[in-house]
Amino acid sequence: MSQALSMQFSTAPGTIGQYARALVARGNNTRNNELPPLEALLVNVKASASDVKAYARVCGFDPNAEHLPLTYPHILAFPLHMELMLHKAFPYPVMGLVHISNTITQMRHIRKDETLCVRCLLGEARSTDKGIEFDIVTQISSGGEIIWTSVSTNLFRQSSTGSKGPRAVREAASFAHKESWSLPSSLGRQYARVSGDSNPIHLYPLSARLFGFKRHIAHGMWSKARIAAALAGRFRDGCCELTTEFKLPVFLPAKVDLCFSDMNADGMSFELRNASGEKTHVRGRISRPD
């Protein structure tokens, strides 16, 4: 295996400039499932107290909590994800990639004042009937100890040349509990301000239509954060694993329901559905790590 090419940063790269680069980036035209051995490192970083508080308010966390929201380390890592995908050796165009799933594992609460190291690397890639899926792995460490990890899976869509089998029919799950949320048209812009993720598909109906969407859509990681805010408090020491699959986009504005089970030894399962219950936008589980 080739030695990893490592990019090291003392401050987080600016996401506005990254999106300008992403609009013109076309990848290197490789259409196989081999990724270059790239990693990016951000050292000696502390979360900004005001930024964390603003993020918490948008995503439904307690803004006065002493620890970081479960999903906040993704915000620290996101500029590094972009640098990996904007590297000249990365094979796929950034615009048009679809974030299809994300798993976060946190070993303990992370204090707001901790000095952290953020390491992101390209993981495994595999061919599917929809295209090529690939992983971005994130490790957050404090004092040399890894305390938070995530695996974000993205899809580079390709036309299928093989025949597809019949689509599996999934029986609708029933849940003991439900919360209803009203999402404003401005939600994507609110989340963009606190996350740095200013992808045009999330901002306005017109900018979303330029990329093939009928209206702008909520960020998948906002949905994950809002779910974490509703459910993760049951793990009082912060040690938990939150797995989410992003199934269907949430077009804004919207009314959605978070449906979730009782807690048991295996954790809790949940689905984020539209108000009529006919469509599942997000599906997942929160539990103790194995």
Side-chain angles (χ1 to χ4, degrees):
M1 175 185 256
S2 329
Q3 184 175 4
L5 174 60
S6 182
M7 300 176 282
Q8 184 163 320
F9 301 89
S10 56
T11 58
T15 54
I16 294 177
Q18 288 176 331
Y19 271 104
R21 291 157 59 197
L23 288 171
V24 298
R26 293 293 178 265
N28 64 12
N29 296 316
T30 299
R31 292 299 180 260
N32 57 35
N33 57 1
E34 294 183 7
L35 293 178
L38 294 176
E39 68 174 27
L41 192 68
L42 178 62
V43 296
N44 297 326
V45 61
K46 282 188 178 182
S48 158
S50 60
D51 289 350
V52 173
K53 186 168 286 193
Y55 174 89
R57 289 196 177 105
V58 170
C59 299
F61 293 97
D62 176 4
N64 298 313
E66 295 181 355
H67 52 78
L68 294 180
L70 173 63
T71 48
Y72 191 80
H74 176 82
I75 304 304
L76 301 177
F78 180 72
L80 302 188
H81 288 203
M82 289 292 289
E83 287 298 325
L84 291 174
M85 294 186 290
L86 287 167
H87 192 278
K88 64 182 180 181
F90 184 73
Y92 318 124
V94 178
M95 304 306 290
L97 295 176
V98 181
H99 191 190
I100 59 174
S101 68
N102 176 273
T103 296
I104 286 173
T105 305
Q106 182 172 264
M107 289 63 174
R108 61 166 173 81
H109 283 311
I110 303 174
R111 298 189 317 275
K112 288 182 176 179
D113 62 351
E114 283 193 67
T115 300
L116 305 172
C117 176
V118 184
R119 178 175 180 250
C120 302
L121 60 152
L122 295 179
E124 179 184 338
R126 55 214 161 258
S127 297
T128 73
D129 60 0
K130 294 182 179 178
I132 297 175
E133 294 180 3
F134 68 92
D135 299 330
I136 299 180
V137 179
T138 299
Q139 299 171 340
I140 307 285
S141 58
S142 176
E145 173 195 12
I146 296 176
I147 55 177
W148 188 101
T149 65
S150 79
V151 178
S152 290
T153 302
N154 297 272
L155 172 68
F156 171 62
R157 289 177 287 196
Q158 291 179 312
S159 300
S160 175
T161 56
S163 59
K164 296 181 181 179
R167 178 177 294 182
V169 177
R170 183 186 178 98
E171 185 177 347
S174 59
F175 294 93
H177 308 283
K178 183 173 77 172
E179 291 185 10
S180 298
W181 305 333
S182 292
L183 313 184
S185 179
S186 62
L187 177 61
R189 300 188 292 278
Q190 294 177 40
Y191 186 75
R193 283 194 290 272
V194 299
S195 69
D197 185 349
S198 299
N199 189 321
I201 66 175
H202 302 300
L203 304 181
Y204 297 96
L206 179 59
S207 61
R209 284 197 290 271
L210 294 175
F211 293 91
F213 292 88
K214 63 181 181 181
R215 293 200 311 277
H216 54 314
I217 63 174
H219 293 74
M221 288 304 293
W222 177 87
S223 298
K224 181 168 185 130
R226 185 65 186 86
I227 291 166
L231 303 181
R234 291 161 174 80
F235 299 83
R236 298 193 179 279
D237 59 358
C239 180
C240 62
E241 181 174 274
L242 177 59
T243 298
T244 46
E245 298 175 70
F246 305 115
K247 309 301 291 184
L248 292 172
V250 178
F251 291 100
L252 298 171
K255 293 183 183 297
V256 295
D257 293 330
L258 175 64
C259 306
F260 55 99
S261 67
D262 288 317
M263 175 74 77
N264 58 37
D266 295 325
M268 306 168 64
S269 57
F270 59 82
E271 291 186 5
L272 186 68
R273 297 172 172 172
N274 65 344
S276 66
E278 298 170 348
K279 297 179 180 179
T280 297
H281 299 292
V282 181
R283 177 181 296 130
R285 171 169 289 275
I286 186 167
S287 60
R288 287 276 182 186
D290 293 332

